[in-house]
Amino acid sequence: MQADNWKRKLKNVLFMDLKTVASTAKFNQLDARLQRQWGQKISLFRKEENWSVQEWYDNRASYYAEYGRILGIAFGGLYWDDNEVPHLKVKTLFEEDERKLLQQFVQVIERYPADELSLCAHNGREFDYPFFCRRLMIQGLPLPKTLQLTGRKPWENPHLDTLELWRFGDSRHYVPLEVLAAVLNLPTEQLELTGDQVSRIYYEEGDVAKIRKYALESVVTLVQTYLRLIGAPLIEEANITRVD
């Protein structure tokens, strides 16, 4: 009976993780208006690091939907076999054409009933969901129904966030997913990258395969973390399928 309860609770949860990069390889390739505004933006933070404008752009532009773009999206969902054993399947979408990438992921989202789907991401409410929505608007694409969140009260937002669960109401507290997985002693692979390294690896090394692997393992770690936080059984490694 307990397995049936978890199955009902988790069957319409879509776990996701965005991998974002700076919009352009070089700061001076930006629109002149954006260059001017970026200079003003980083003037508030320049005491933190002794970086040039280009270095600030390399290290921080991917955090902002106005200056970054989505290079790839990893996502996964749970399913149960005939013996009621849970399995996880994780996939990635990577495209140079961001508009095409966004359309592909919207198609994934729309496979679920809009009033039943819950997305789940780490820091999703502050990063993944708004970043995705902003890039949709920048690319001139409509928001899927499940992400039309403007005007909703916080408790009307159906989407999940492992960071929010871990905060226990402390809105100032931040912990990376890798650290949370470590302190929870989860049997997941160590995440070899951090989000701020993705843009450099993409533009300087062109190593998309490395970023894809990072994206896949991020979602596996996300799923196991969420399961631990809600007290559900973890997924055995033998029951995890990764699709590049």
Side-chain angles (χ1 to χ4, degrees), residues 2-241:
Q2 182 67 24
D4 287 341
N5 290 339
W6 290 127
K7 184 176 179 180
R8 284 194 296 271
K9 188 171 184 177
L10 294 164
K11 73 172 185 176
N12 285 319
V13 178
L14 180 64
F15 299 89
M16 64 174 287
D17 182 63
L18 302 183
K19 294 309 174 198
T20 62
V21 297
S23 292
T24 58
K26 299 296 181 184
F27 172 71
N28 61 15
Q29 294 171 334
L30 277 179
D31 178 279
R33 292 171 296 178
L34 292 177
Q35 290 186 44
R36 183 171 63 254
Q37 292 298 323
W38 181 255
Q40 293 177 6
K41 188 178 190 69
I42 66 171
S43 67
L44 302 173
F45 307 107
R46 295 186 84 167
K47 291 181 181 179
E48 297 178 10
E49 300 284 354
N50 187 27
W51 288 338
S52 67
V53 172
Q54 178 66 50
E55 287 172 324
W56 272 102
Y57 183 72
D58 292 341
N59 286 280
R60 293 290 185 267
S62 63
Y63 291 0
Y64 304 100
E66 300 81 8
Y67 298 94
R69 65 182 176 91
I70 301 172
L71 173 67
I73 306 173
F75 60 96
L78 300 173
Y79 66 95
W80 282 256
D81 64 22
D82 293 340
N83 296 315
E84 297 300 313
V85 175
H87 294 249
L88 169 64
K89 185 174 184 179
V90 184
K91 301 178 66 174
T92 58
L93 295 172
F94 273 72
E95 288 284 349
E96 290 291 337
D97 184 337
E98 186 193 42
R99 196 171 199 276
K100 184 177 178 181
L101 172 67
L102 297 174
Q103 289 173 319
Q104 289 175 349
F105 190 61
V106 167
Q107 289 175 358
V108 173
I109 289 175
E110 291 180 339
R111 294 174 192 163
Y112 294 78
D115 56 348
E116 296 180 21
L117 172 65
S118 293
L119 298 173
C120 183
H122 189 73
N123 201 26
R125 292 198 178 200
E126 292 184 6
F127 183 73
D128 298 77
Y129 313 144
F131 197 109
F132 184 74
C133 291
R134 290 168 187 149
R135 293 308 302 178
L136 282 171
M137 295 200 74
I138 288 168
Q139 292 288 358
L141 296 170
L143 298 180
K145 183 178 178 181
T146 191
L147 283 169
Q148 293 174 11
L149 302 174
T150 301
R152 290 193 194 181
K153 297 177 176 62
W155 56 87
E156 295 174 334
N157 184 341
H159 304 307
L160 306 167
D161 188 331
T162 47
L163 178 58
E164 189 174 84
L165 289 173
W166 184 248
R167 279 174 166 166
F168 293 97
D170 179 1
S171 61
R172 298 166 299 175
H173 187 68
Y174 177 80
V175 59
L177 179 62
E178 171 72 354
V179 173
L180 185 51
V183 298
L184 293 174
N185 197 29
L186 296 175
T188 55
E189 284 195 27
Q190 180 176 338
L191 301 179
E192 296 183 359
L193 303 179
T194 56
D196 59 343
Q197 296 174 319
V198 171
S199 193
R200 180 189 60 78
I201 289 171
Y202 174 65
Y203 283 118
E204 295 181 10
E205 301 176 16
D207 196 345
V208 175
K210 187 174 185 178
I211 300 170
R212 290 180 84 117
K213 184 177 187 299
Y214 170 44
L216 281 171
E217 295 309 321
S218 294
V219 173
V220 172
T221 302
L222 169 68
V223 173
Q224 302 286 43
T225 300
Y226 179 70
L227 294 176
R228 174 62 59 82
L229 290 174
I230 65 171
L234 300 182
I235 308 299
E236 297 289 338
E237 177 60 33
N239 296 329
I240 299 174
T241 302

